[in-house]
Amino acid sequence: MSIEEDLIRDIKPLIEDGNLDALQIAWEELSHNTEFDRPVAWDYVYQKVYLHAALNKQRSICQWMDELYVDFDPVIQIALRHVFPYARYLLNQ
C-alpha cells in the first residue's frame, strides 16, 4: 500500500465517528510529519477524505476541509475543484 492509502485508511474511522477534533489533530500531525520516505500527495488524500466525509454526511468535517482548501497551491486548487459539486450532491442525498 502507498503512504496515501495508509493515511486514508487511518483517517476514515475518524470521519465515520464524526470526530472532527481528532481528525484536526491527526491531520495537523500527519501533514507536518517529515519522516515519510517520499513526498505525500496531500491533494489525493484530501480528495478521498473529503468525499468520504460527504458520503457519511459529515457536514462539519466538510466545512473544516473547505478551510484547508485555501492552503493548497493554486494549481492544486484548480485540480481539486471537481470534488466539490460531487461532494455537495452526496451530502444532499
Side-chain angles (χ1 to χ4, degrees):
M1 256 190 191
S2 70
I3 294 170
E4 292 82 5
E5 292 298 329
D6 288 341
L7 292 172
I8 293 164
R9 186 191 67 238
D10 293 343
I11 291 171
K12 279 185 175 183
L14 300 174
I15 292 168
E16 291 159 5
D17 292 341
N19 195 340
L20 177 57
D21 292 334
L23 176 60
Q24 290 171 325
I25 292 167
W27 190 274
E28 185 69 22
E29 289 174 357
L30 293 169
S31 65
H32 290 95
N33 186 343
T34 57
E35 296 177 15
F36 297 118
D37 59 350
R38 65 171 178 78
V40 176
W42 286 107
D43 54 328
Y44 176 78
V45 175
Y46 178 91
Q47 174 186 340
K48 296 297 182 184
V49 168
Y50 195 100
L51 291 176
H52 192 69
L55 188 61
N56 284 276
K57 310 290 190 246
Q58 298 293 340
R59 289 184 186 278
S60 61
I61 292 174
C62 288
Q63 289 171 342
W64 171 71
M65 293 191 76
D66 288 342
E67 295 171 17
L68 292 179
Y69 174 78
V70 298
D71 293 334
F72 282 107
D73 177 86
V75 174
I76 301 293
Q77 288 179 358
I78 292 168
L80 287 172
R81 280 190 193 153
H82 73 280
V83 171
F84 302 109
Y86 184 53
R88 302 286 184 263
Y89 170 78
L90 291 173
L91 281 169
N92 293 318
Q93 282 295 33

